[in-house]
Amino acid sequence: MARVLALIVLVAAPSLAHAQPRAVRDPAIADAALALEGPSGALTVDELETGLRAVLAPISACLRERPTDPADITLELEVGARGRATPRITSTLTSAQRRFARCLTRAFGAARFPERDASTRVVVHALIGTPTPSIPGSTETTSASTVPTAPPPPTSAAPSRPLTEEELHARALASVQTAMAAHPEALAACARRAAVQAHGRVWVRVTFPSASGAPAIDIVRSDIESEALTSCVAETMRGWTYESPGATANVVLPIAIARPGS
């Protein structure tokens, strides 16, 4: 159910200055991207990126084999002197993501890197999930097909039991999607004002703190280096009203951005 609702989001922190990770992605693989952070050891970032690029297709295959909702799954990756990788997932996962995680770790474990005299460590963010329809950067009016339709309100859980992880996640997805659908031109206006000149994706984490209160919105990764775009979208989305999922929950979602005239 939640996968069907995953046609959402964009937003960003006020600045991208907080250690923008090195991106590893393939335009032909829309449902997976990697972001490398804090590498240390014998291998260069370029060597790490080359080795991990081959992992994107297996990760995409994992998503088809063990579907899960969009997420930022963090791994600590140690590459030994012989070029073999040992991954360790450090994220807190939902049950659906745990079913996917075994396939994910196999994909990372199969990566091969150049042999060196010492090992290398790096934090890898596996950004998974199908991007939303594009938010156009042109001056044309956004067509209805580019804006996700608001989902029906999530079914209330029985009061006799707490909400499951999947129910909370589905409610959080529905809340953000409903907010986007209520403001169909707002993000397109940000893209136009920023004069976006390239296609790209922005990954966003929306965190609901509890049964009440506004969610926190944080950038996870952006392919488009435009502070004007990300700042505008962040401020815009902070002004929206969101329905609380009923307890602490967070979602990580990608949105595709199109260059002007696309």
Side-chain angles (χ1 to χ4, degrees):
M1 175 184 68
R3 290 191 300 277
V4 177
L5 299 177
L7 298 176
I8 327 180
V9 194
L10 192 173
V11 80
S15 171
L16 297 180
H18 59 287
Q20 178 81 306
R22 176 76 168 265
V24 181
R25 68 186 186 95
D26 184 336
I29 301 174
D31 54 8
L34 304 176
L36 311 185
E37 187 176 4
S40 63
L43 294 174
T44 67
V45 176
D46 287 340
E47 289 171 330
L48 288 168
E49 181 178 338
T50 298
L52 289 173
R53 193 175 301 279
V55 174
L56 292 172
I59 291 175
S60 183
C62 285
L63 286 167
R64 293 191 295 272
E65 178 185 348
R66 297 282 187 271
T68 190
D69 297 321
D72 168 16
I73 298 180
T74 307
L75 304 94
E76 291 181 354
L77 196 69
E78 181 168 359
V79 181
R82 294 189 176 183
R84 295 182 178 273
T86 302
R88 183 175 71 88
I89 293 177
T90 58
S91 297
T92 300
L93 306 178
T94 66
S95 58
Q97 291 165 1
R98 285 193 290 271
R99 291 192 294 270
F100 167 80
R102 182 174 298 180
C103 188
L104 179 68
T105 53
R106 283 202 306 268
F108 275 91
R112 294 294 177 266
F113 301 87
E115 295 188 6
R116 291 289 185 270
D117 294 333
S119 62
T120 300
R121 293 188 179 186
V122 63
V123 174
V124 180
H125 296 273
L127 309 174
I128 57 170
T130 304
T132 74
S134 296
I135 294 293
S138 69
T139 56
E140 299 173 0
T141 301
T142 305
S143 67
S145 63
T146 65
V147 180
T149 303
T155 303
S156 297
S160 59
R161 64 173 178 82
L163 294 170
T164 66
E165 292 174 336
E166 279 69 25
E167 287 169 334
L168 283 172
H169 197 270
R171 284 174 171 231
L173 282 167
S175 175
V176 180
Q177 189 172 20
T178 298
M180 279 193 68
H183 304 85
E185 277 293 308
L187 300 187
C190 283
R192 291 195 294 271
R193 286 199 293 271
V196 172
Q197 295 298 316
H199 292 297
R201 286 174 284 177
V202 176
W203 298 75
V204 177
R205 179 185 292 110
V206 182
T207 303
F208 291 86
S210 61
S212 62
I217 299 172
D218 301 294
I219 188 90
V220 175
R221 169 69 202 169
S222 176
D223 296 334
I224 300 172
E225 296 185 5
S226 171
E227 186 173 347
L229 172 68
T230 55
S231 296
C232 175
V233 173
E235 291 305 313
T236 298
M237 291 189 69
R238 289 187 186 116
W240 295 351
T241 299
Y242 301 86
E243 182 177 352
S244 171
T248 301
N250 72 81
V251 289
V252 178
L253 297 164
I255 189 169
I257 305 294
R259 66 175 179 268
S262 299

